[in-house]
Every structure is written in C-alpha cells, then in structure tokens.
Amino acid sequence: MSLVTEARRRAATALGAVEGEAVAARLELRQADLAATLEQVYGAKVDAADLVERLVDRVLDAACSRPKPLRVLDRRREIDPSWFQDPATIGYVCYADRFAGDLSGVRRRLDYLGELGITYLHLMPLLRPRDGDNDGGYAVVDYGSVDPRLGTMADLVNLAGDLHSRGMSLCIDLVLNHTAAEHPWALAAAAGDPAYRAFYRVFADRELPDRFERTLPEVFPDQAPGSFTQVDGVGWVWATFNDYQWDLDWSNPEVFDAMLTVVLDLANRGVDVLRLDAAPFLWKREGTDSQNQPEVHLILQALRACCAIAAPGVLFKAEAIVAPQQLTQYLGAHDRFRPECDLAYHNQLMVTLWSTLATRDVTLARQSLTNLRPAPSSTAWVTYLRCHDDIGWAVSDEDARAVGLDPAAHRRFLSDFYSGAHPGSFARGALFQLNPRTGDSRISGTAAALCGLDAARSAGDDEEVAIALRRLLMLYSVVYSFGGIPLLYMGDELALPNDERRAQSAGQAEDNRWMHRPRMDWAAAQRRHEPASVEGRAFAGIAGMAAARARLAVLQSGTGPEVLDTGDRRVLAFARRHPGASGLVALANFSDDPVLLPRETALPGLSLEARVVQSSESTELTAYDVALPSWGHAWVTDP
Ligand code: GLC
C-alpha cells in the first residue's frame, strides 16, 4: 500500500473521511520534499525510503491524535494561509515569570496585552531547564514538561486555549541545537550508552576539536571560550554556547526523529509558533564557521514538511542572527523555493536602526536594506528593536565599504557609542562578550536606555527625556510599519530602564544580558494612562501605532517595502504598496534637527489627498512639504 493510501485509511478511521482525505492530501503534497531532503542529508547513512516511512508513521500518529479545537484552527488557517500576515498581527515577547509570576499569572494579564493590540504572545523558554545556571532557560532537561516554577503542561495547554479564544497565538522556544548536559540523552551518553553517545559530538582527544576551532568563531568568548568542553570520562564534547549546553549531532537521523517527536508534541499542546533557537548551528563542517550549512536548510525543510502534514496551522520561526547574505534563505529563499520557516527575525533592520541612531545618517541603512534578498511572499519577517539577547553588529563588510565606512571601525564605534564611552553619547548600555583577540563586542541594555532615557532621567533633564522618548517611538514606528510581524519587547511600552538590581541574582551578574531582562514594573504600568508620565507617553505612542497599523491593509506582510531616497541623509523613508490598498510612505527622522522635505521627494506616488495617519507630535503635512521634528516620524497614506 502506498504511504498516501495508508495515511488516508488511518486518518479516516481516527478523524472521519473528510479529515482523512485532508491528511492524505497534505502528505501527497509534502512527500516529495520530505523524501528529497532526507535523502540528501541522511542518504549516505541509512535507507532514506525507510526513514521516510518511519517518520511518516510518527507524523500520522500526531495527526490522528491532534485535539479537535486545534484541527478546527488548522482548517481556518489552511483556508486563509496568510492569517499571520494580517496587519493586525502584533507580537509581545516576555518571560512568563518576569512578566506575571507564572503561566497562570500570564493568563490573568491578557487584558493588558489587549490594550496594546497584541495578537501573538512569545513566551521565553519555559520547558524544564537544568538546575542552576541555564542560560535563561536555553538548557533544557525535559522537552515534555514545563519549568515547575512556571506551572505545568496543563497550564500551558490552558493558556494556549485562552489565547485562541481571544484570536491570539502562542509562540514558544524550541532549543534544537543543544540540550542541557543533564538531559537524559546526555546522561546516557556520558554513561557510555553508544546510541546516545551518537546523539552528541564527542571526541576522544583534541585533534578534531583543534582542527574545527581553526575556523570557528566563539559565541561567548568571555564566559565560555572555545566550542568544546572537556568532560571527565567522556572526552571533548561539542558545546557551542555554555559548557552545560551540549550540541546535538544532527547528522544522526535518530536525533532528527527524536526532535520531530518534540515538535509534534508541542504542536498538539496548542503551540502555534515554534521559535527554532540557534538554527544556523545545526550542522558542522570542518574548514567553515559551521553555521548556515546547506544541510541546516534541508533539515528545517524536512521538519517543516512533517509538521505541515500533522499540524498545518503551526508556524516555524527561525532564530538566525546571521549575516544579511545568509538570512532570507531561512524563509525558504533558495534557487528553488521550498517551504522552510514561515517567520524569521529581521536582524538587519534591527541592527541598522541602532547603527543609524548613532550615526544620524541613513546611507548605510538604505544600502543594507535594499541589498537584502526579499522575503518570499508566503512568509513574513518579524521586525523588532530589542530582544532578550545582546545586539551584535551584523553589518556586512560589503555594505559598510559600499558607503565608505571601515567595517571594523564602524562596529567598534557602535559598541563605544552604546556603552556610553563615545564622547557625547546619550546611550547607557554595556559591552557584552568583548573578545580581546578580535576587539569585537556586542551591546546590552534596554531600548529606552540605549535611546538616552536613563541618562536623561538621572540628569533630571525633562527636555532630554522628551527627546529620548521620541527616539524610542521613532524606532518603533519603523518596526511597526516596515512590513512583517512587529514584536514588542516587554517593558519597552513603558520605556523601562536597565535593571540595576540584576547583579544581586545568582548567575545573572556574569551575564549582563540580564540588564535588559527586567521584571515587569506593574507600579510603573499603573501610570500608563497618565498622559504626562514617561510611561503614559511611551504606552500611548506604542498603542497608537498598533491601532493605526491594524487599520492599514497596506501593511499586510506578503509584500516588502521599497526603501526610498529622499535626498536627505537624516531621513529613513520607505513606501509600502499592496494590491487593493492605498499606498503608504513611512518617514523617520534620525537627527537632532527638525527637517522639512518637499512633498514630491518625500512622498512619491501619493496624491495631494494623502493624510498623516500616525506620527510624533508637531509633524505637519502641507500642500508643499512635510515637516518632522527632531527624531520624529510619520506614516502618510492616501485615503
Ligand atoms: C539563542 C538565544 C540565546 C541563547 C542561545 C543559546 O541565540 O537567543 O539567548 O544564549 O541561543 O541557546
């Protein structure tokens, strides 16, 4: 019996004839992709046809046991595959404990998210981590249970249900690249079980590690130098991140199978989006940096195909913080398109926004955003300003040189600027992982602190406070209008400062990323409706953008923006067009000066009837020109 016939029979028995036919159709559609990718990755080790059969069996189990409410959601999403590209989709990112204590607490705070127009909630790592240091939850010991401090799997299922009933979706992290050293697979490997030893990359001596390390960059040069860790009685174990995070060996098909089981289980709990952590690192190849290898994409495509058969409403989001020329491939943009991840972080936009804020010159931003390969129309970027990680200066050498900058010097300048070391800098961040060998470093700090708010508040300078808030909102105005799903990072809606108390918590003093992972300040949140308060101004600005965005069909994510040249280096401008919607131009002034731009260069393609639909105060549009205050922004659209 063919796989499809068997799938039809099994699914029809479990779910009825109509749904059975749908499962069979999905398998038919994805089967070729699955077979081709697995053959390329694993064909030399195992019989790929046998592997396909085994995996499809697992996928069918998941399809047949998928709860009814989730199958109903699948149906809706298959009818409208662009559901996540809707302009009303807006994300919020937080740690469940820091935001609301635990998962039940999160359920009680959904109205707060509603005020911000949130429809997509990304909860930071919540599966059971190892005890002690766990890299913010990225060292998991059990993918099948929730961190007991946050609740239980039943709480997660209930939270997903609550979100769905409000038309919201749930995103959680899935750490694919590594497990904690205390995960049962790792413990079995350490105890000498050959099947589990083959789950990791273990070397008897330094010969191969030394050879690999010749071309491997260090991710945590300061806190965890090198990419291997020596384990007594075991040998040298590949550990790209911290010593207690052991990289899985994805060249072993058993690892694929085990992780597929995890993916399908989480999907059937009601998770809508899986954030695939550290995806670029899955495949290692000597003589390279062991990131973004072709096999990484094939593995993601194979996982995608499997998940789409069992749980077609579930999305993958790539956490691929990589160079611009490697980025769009995670959305399936290869010579031949094949569904891969539906979403990917637009780290180029994030980096160029911060770079431009420091230089007050949009030339580099224009260059790198124009140079980036566009996202396939069935996918979307997630646009963001801050996340829980440091900001790495992923400006490509090619882009920097094209606009006359020395790449290394520019990156050093950015770190100096945001650590506050550069004369006249308004930012109050901190250097993260300074690598003494290369001089490279990254930056920690909350968005507000990097925009100058912490400095302005401690100086008691109200005018500077207003300017810093304008900077923050101007940056978010780009994030909310560029195209893609905007992500609001918890606390930015209240312009929360750096967390100065973090040093008192164990494990957090050494890793200064915790300075921008504050606890939610609910006392500050109480002030969100006081128009004169800092919190009130930030909150109203962000909520206003959300409301405006939801009404603008032109912000649907299926098409990309066109970056414009207004002839003024201080202003970032881009046009958005969408068939069936009026065009929109977004303008952002990255300078201390108010600017006046002639209408024909600032708003190409818009008519005389065009109106400002969202802006900072004192923005003005006349029949001839558009005036933006310093660090101001405007969205202009035809009626
Ligand atoms: C991702 C996470 C980061 C973590 C790393 C290792 O990059 O965002 O916080 O340290 O993966 O899991």
Short mmCIF file of all heavy atoms in Angstrom, two decimals, residues 135 138 173 175 178 220 241-242 245 275 277-278 319 321 388-389 513 517, ligand 1:
data_model
loop_
_atom_site.label_atom_id
_atom_site.label_comp_id
_atom_site.label_asym_id
_atom_site.label_seq_id
_atom_site.Cartn_x
_atom_site.Cartn_y
_atom_site.Cartn_z
N ASP A 135 21.27 29.56 31.16
CA ASP A 135 21.28 30.45 30.00
C ASP A 135 19.86 30.97 29.71
O ASP A 135 19.40 30.95 28.57
CB ASP A 135 21.87 29.72 28.78
CG ASP A 135 22.12 30.67 27.61
OD1 ASP A 135 22.27 31.89 27.83
OD2 ASP A 135 22.13 30.19 26.45
N TYR A 138 17.68 28.24 28.14
CA TYR A 138 18.10 27.59 26.89
C TYR A 138 18.94 26.33 27.13
O TYR A 138 19.75 25.96 26.29
CB TYR A 138 18.83 28.57 25.98
CG TYR A 138 17.90 29.60 25.37
CD1 TYR A 138 17.82 30.90 25.85
CD2 TYR A 138 17.07 29.25 24.31
CE1 TYR A 138 16.94 31.82 25.31
CE2 TYR A 138 16.20 30.16 23.75
CZ TYR A 138 16.14 31.45 24.26
OH TYR A 138 15.27 32.36 23.71
N ASP A 173 9.83 28.85 22.64
CA ASP A 173 11.15 28.49 22.14
C ASP A 173 11.33 26.99 22.06
O ASP A 173 10.92 26.27 22.97
CB ASP A 173 12.22 29.02 23.10
CG ASP A 173 12.47 30.48 22.88
OD1 ASP A 173 11.68 31.30 23.41
OD2 ASP A 173 13.41 30.81 22.15
N VAL A 175 14.60 24.64 21.66
CA VAL A 175 16.07 24.63 21.55
C VAL A 175 16.47 23.37 20.80
O VAL A 175 16.47 22.27 21.35
CB VAL A 175 16.73 24.70 22.93
CG1 VAL A 175 18.22 24.96 22.78
CG2 VAL A 175 16.09 25.77 23.79
N HIS A 178 20.95 22.17 20.96
CA HIS A 178 21.64 21.55 22.09
C HIS A 178 20.65 21.20 23.19
O HIS A 178 19.56 21.75 23.25
CB HIS A 178 22.70 22.50 22.65
CG HIS A 178 22.22 23.92 22.79
ND1 HIS A 178 22.39 24.86 21.79
CD2 HIS A 178 21.56 24.56 23.78
CE1 HIS A 178 21.85 26.01 22.18
NE2 HIS A 178 21.33 25.86 23.37
N PHE A 220 30.50 32.88 22.97
CA PHE A 220 30.67 33.51 24.29
C PHE A 220 32.15 33.52 24.66
O PHE A 220 32.58 32.80 25.56
CB PHE A 220 29.87 32.73 25.36
CG PHE A 220 28.37 32.77 25.21
CD1 PHE A 220 27.60 31.69 25.61
CD2 PHE A 220 27.71 33.90 24.73
CE1 PHE A 220 26.21 31.70 25.51
CE2 PHE A 220 26.32 33.93 24.62
CZ PHE A 220 25.57 32.83 25.01
N PHE A 241 27.78 26.95 22.95
CA PHE A 241 27.40 28.05 23.84
C PHE A 241 28.09 27.82 25.20
O PHE A 241 29.30 27.82 25.25
CB PHE A 241 25.87 28.17 23.90
CG PHE A 241 25.30 28.53 22.54
CD1 PHE A 241 24.91 27.56 21.62
CD2 PHE A 241 25.20 29.86 22.16
CE1 PHE A 241 24.42 27.90 20.37
CE2 PHE A 241 24.71 30.21 20.90
CZ PHE A 241 24.32 29.23 20.00
N ASN A 242 27.33 27.58 26.26
CA ASN A 242 27.98 27.34 27.54
C ASN A 242 28.38 25.86 27.67
O ASN A 242 27.85 25.00 26.94
CB ASN A 242 27.02 27.73 28.67
CG ASN A 242 26.81 29.23 28.73
OD1 ASN A 242 27.72 30.00 29.02
ND2 ASN A 242 25.59 29.67 28.42
N GLN A 245 25.69 23.26 27.77
CA GLN A 245 24.78 23.12 26.62
C GLN A 245 25.49 22.29 25.55
O GLN A 245 26.36 22.81 24.85
CB GLN A 245 24.41 24.51 26.08
CG GLN A 245 23.51 25.30 27.03
CD GLN A 245 23.46 26.79 26.70
OE1 GLN A 245 24.49 27.47 26.69
NE2 GLN A 245 22.27 27.31 26.43
N ARG A 275 9.74 28.87 17.95
CA ARG A 275 10.93 29.68 17.65
C ARG A 275 12.13 28.73 17.69
O ARG A 275 12.47 28.21 18.75
CB ARG A 275 11.10 30.78 18.68
CG ARG A 275 12.40 31.57 18.55
CD ARG A 275 12.60 32.43 19.79
NE ARG A 275 13.81 33.21 19.80
CZ ARG A 275 15.02 32.76 20.20
NH1 ARG A 275 15.18 31.50 20.54
NH2 ARG A 275 16.04 33.57 20.24
N ASP A 277 15.46 27.90 18.06
CA ASP A 277 16.61 28.58 18.64
C ASP A 277 17.92 28.14 17.98
O ASP A 277 18.13 26.95 17.74
CB ASP A 277 16.66 28.23 20.14
CG ASP A 277 17.80 28.91 20.85
OD1 ASP A 277 17.77 30.14 20.93
OD2 ASP A 277 18.73 28.21 21.31
N ALA A 278 18.77 29.12 17.71
CA ALA A 278 20.13 28.85 17.22
C ALA A 278 20.15 27.93 16.00
O ALA A 278 21.07 27.12 15.82
CB ALA A 278 20.99 28.27 18.35
N GLU A 319 15.35 31.52 14.41
CA GLU A 319 16.23 32.45 15.12
C GLU A 319 17.58 32.31 14.45
O GLU A 319 18.39 31.45 14.79
CB GLU A 319 16.32 32.12 16.60
CG GLU A 319 16.97 33.26 17.39
CD GLU A 319 18.32 32.94 18.02
OE1 GLU A 319 18.69 31.76 18.12
OE2 GLU A 319 19.01 33.89 18.40
N ILE A 321 20.45 34.70 13.58
CA ILE A 321 21.00 36.05 13.68
C ILE A 321 22.32 36.01 12.92
O ILE A 321 23.40 35.86 13.49
CB ILE A 321 21.17 36.45 15.17
CG1 ILE A 321 19.86 36.23 15.92
CG2 ILE A 321 21.62 37.91 15.30
CD1 ILE A 321 18.63 36.93 15.34
N HIS A 388 15.78 39.66 24.06
CA HIS A 388 16.47 39.32 25.31
C HIS A 388 17.98 39.23 25.11
O HIS A 388 18.73 39.17 26.07
CB HIS A 388 15.92 37.99 25.83
CG HIS A 388 16.32 36.85 24.94
ND1 HIS A 388 15.82 36.71 23.66
CD2 HIS A 388 17.21 35.84 25.11
CE1 HIS A 388 16.38 35.65 23.10
NE2 HIS A 388 17.22 35.11 23.96
N ASP A 389 18.42 39.14 23.85
CA ASP A 389 19.85 38.98 23.61
C ASP A 389 20.56 40.32 23.46
O ASP A 389 19.92 41.37 23.35
CB ASP A 389 20.07 38.12 22.34
CG ASP A 389 19.96 36.63 22.66
OD1 ASP A 389 20.32 36.24 23.78
OD2 ASP A 389 19.52 35.87 21.78
N ARG A 513 23.36 40.41 29.84
CA ARG A 513 22.10 40.48 29.10
C ARG A 513 20.91 40.64 30.06
O ARG A 513 19.84 41.08 29.67
CB ARG A 513 21.91 39.22 28.24
CG ARG A 513 22.87 39.16 27.05
CD ARG A 513 22.70 37.87 26.26
NE ARG A 513 23.03 36.69 27.05
CZ ARG A 513 22.88 35.44 26.63
NH1 ARG A 513 22.40 35.21 25.43
NH2 ARG A 513 23.21 34.42 27.40
N ARG A 517 16.58 42.42 30.81
CA ARG A 517 15.52 41.43 31.05
C ARG A 517 14.88 41.75 32.40
O ARG A 517 14.91 40.93 33.32
CB ARG A 517 16.10 40.01 31.06
CG ARG A 517 16.80 39.63 29.76
CD ARG A 517 17.58 38.32 29.93
NE ARG A 517 18.24 37.92 28.69
CZ ARG A 517 19.05 36.89 28.59
NH1 ARG A 517 19.31 36.13 29.65
NH2 ARG A 517 19.62 36.58 27.44
C1 GLC B 1 19.85 31.88 21.14
C2 GLC B 1 19.21 32.60 22.30
C3 GLC B 1 20.27 32.98 23.30
C4 GLC B 1 20.95 31.74 23.78
C5 GLC B 1 21.47 30.89 22.61
C6 GLC B 1 21.83 29.51 23.05
O1 GLC B 1 20.71 32.68 20.42
O2 GLC B 1 18.51 33.71 21.84
O3 GLC B 1 19.71 33.69 24.38
O4 GLC B 1 22.03 32.10 24.62
O5 GLC B 1 20.51 30.74 21.59
O6 GLC B 1 20.67 28.76 23.30
#
